[in-house]
Amino acid sequence: MLARLREVVGATHVLTQDADTRRFRKGHRTGEGGVLAVVRPGTLLEQWQAMQAAVEAGCIVIMQAANTGLTGGSTPDGNDYDRDIVLISTLRLQGVQVINDGAQVVCLPGATLDRLEQTLAPLGREPHSVIGSSCIGASVLGGVCNNSGGALVRRGPAYTEMALYAAVDDSGTLRLVNHLGIALGDSPEEILTRLQAGQYGPADVDNSGERAASDPRYGEHVRDVDAATPARFNADPSRLFEASGSAGKVGVFAVRLDTFPREASDVFYIGSNDPDDLTAVRRHLLTSLPSLPIAGEYIHRVAFDIGARYGKDTFLLIDKLGTAKVPAAFALKSRIDGFFEKLGLRNVTDHVIQAVMALLPSHLPPRMRDYRNRYAHHLLLRVAKDSTDATRAFLDAHFQGREGGYFHCEPDEGRKAFLHRFAVAGAAIRYRDTHRGSVEDIVALDIALRRNDREWVETLPRDMDEVMVHKLYYGHFFCHVFHQDYIVKKGVDPLAMEHRMWTLLDARQAEYPAEHNVGHLYEAKPALSSHYRKLDPCNVFNPGIGHTSKLFGWGACCDQGKPGFPAAYGYDASQDAG
């Protein structure tokens, strides 16, 4: 099979040595395992042929784009799989094709959110998600496959019903499914070659509207602030459709997505020591503005501080060089760390970077630093111009006689406020990696609270609170989606702590995960697990996701006598413990 893969993509793009495969098989935040090979196809047809070779040889296939996920969902997890793993990296398959005069796009597997933003900017339009995951080079397809939520209040999870993907059916055969709504031919070879070359015209594009290219319901859904259910979460059955929410259980070649008009906006920075102040702001602005707020991001003071110190390099890199440089910086960091790890030295770059950052002056605007000193709870609010006056009038009245306050940001202040919020997201990782002597690990949760929940500030039992070094709370406040990173002390079992957290969240009727998908950290709930089984009945693509079975056929049977069991898998049923 390796010889066949080398014929398909070229020998230089089939990686088998540990040093070469490290940055592909090790997750951005968590997860790591061995692979037989990492394959880097340069065309969609090569991707198809590589999949065929792996499936026919009885291997597991893990699809990976930018490897920026926070739950380890696009890397192996351990070495207890029952078959060899071929990891297919799609980073070389970049491409964004604009259709319908910019109202929609077709994105290939390696297309990044950053590249999509750049493509749409001259058209006065923007994608579902803007700066956030794009900071670290996240892919468009990764967002769709993982139900990524994003920071924009009106748009909900990344979602489409229009995709081109490959799936292994219950007979073990790899099949191509074209639901892009674009006529490209009949055979996989013709379809994939024409798509990559953009060899289709307006007459080939179906605009009947029978399939959606974004979530059309979310705007009204999030306005319902009295509903006793969350606005969005990964296992929501209404947002699981073929590639959307597939978590790598199919091999996606392209997705078709709506784009959105770019709006002029204003940013307000709000601070308070009373959580009820922010609750009132959220409920009023979601229901009473001329148009829905564009974004509303929450940061607790502790997260503010950790982000200011341990996310400083990310902030400065993006601020000075733009998001396009970040993926290359992460790749370089991974290579350097890999070199020093062979010498027995971990996290060398993290320590060096932190030492350099400590020498630099503060990068945050003075008014933000002042609010950090005065208030524990911070809300970054972006509204369209048609809502600016109404927002200001409400905030003036709301904070009259109260301890909290707000300021209307200058453009540079607003940009830096949101950039700081997204630098916070990776800061806990840097803290852990530079405090290995006192920190065991991070318990990272993203949760969706009920839309009518007014008790959104968490209070932990004393015995749990005492084993935390830091608790970082931040998130998408108007959607009631929160990221909660718990940095736990040395000697504490992170998995046991996470399971206790789940019990507390269940009691609050919260849903989790909210937007980063289950990866290998969370258990897939029944609707999600059923979605995976329907897409991949033989369990060939990304097995084990969501703590599901890693065995062929979902562990239900592993003997060659079962119909549809490819001979290449070569199982001896007597050795199977599944």
Side-chain angles (χ1 to χ4, degrees), residues 54-55 57-60 83 168 172 538 540 552 560 565-571:
V55 170
C59 288
I60 286 168
R83 293 149 286 165
V168 176
C538 288
V540 171
F552 179 86
Q560 297 181 31
F565 197 104
Y569 288 87
Y571 271 95

Side-chain angles (χ1 to χ4, degrees), residues 247-275:
K249 298 302 291 180
V250 293
V252 186
F253 292 89
V255 294
R256 179 173 163 185
L257 297 165
D258 289 330
T259 69
F260 304 88
R262 175 178 290 177
E263 292 186 85
S265 62
D266 283 293
V267 174
F268 294 88
Y269 198 103
I270 302 167
S272 178
N273 291 315
D274 184 353

Side-chain angles (χ1 to χ4, degrees), residues 30 38 102 130 149 179 189 214 240 288 343 382 389 435 465 493:
T30 186
V38 172
V130 295
H179 287 165
E189 291 75 15
S214 63
L240 300 175
S288 302
L343 304 178
R382 184 183 297 278
D389 291 342
H435 293 78
D465 203 47
D493 182 351

Side-chain angles (χ1 to χ4, degrees), residues 126 151-155 223 261-270 281-282 284-297 379-395 406-409 411 414-415 418 478:
E126 60 187 18
L152 300 179
V153 176
R154 306 172 185 179
R155 299 179 193 170
R223 279 191 187 275
R262 175 178 290 177
E263 292 186 85
S265 62
D266 283 293
V267 174
F268 294 88
Y269 198 103
I270 302 167
V281 169
R282 171 181 172 268
H284 177 86
L285 297 184
L286 281 177
T287 58
S288 302
L289 287 183
S291 58
L292 274 172
I294 295 173
E297 293 295 294
L379 178 61
L380 288 56
L381 172 65
R382 184 183 297 278
V383 298
K385 287 288 187 180
D386 67 0
S387 297
T388 296
D389 291 342
T391 301
R392 185 188 294 109
F394 167 74
L395 294 176
Y406 80 95
F407 61 87
H408 188 174
C409 294
R415 182 181 63 83
F418 275 90
F478 284 80

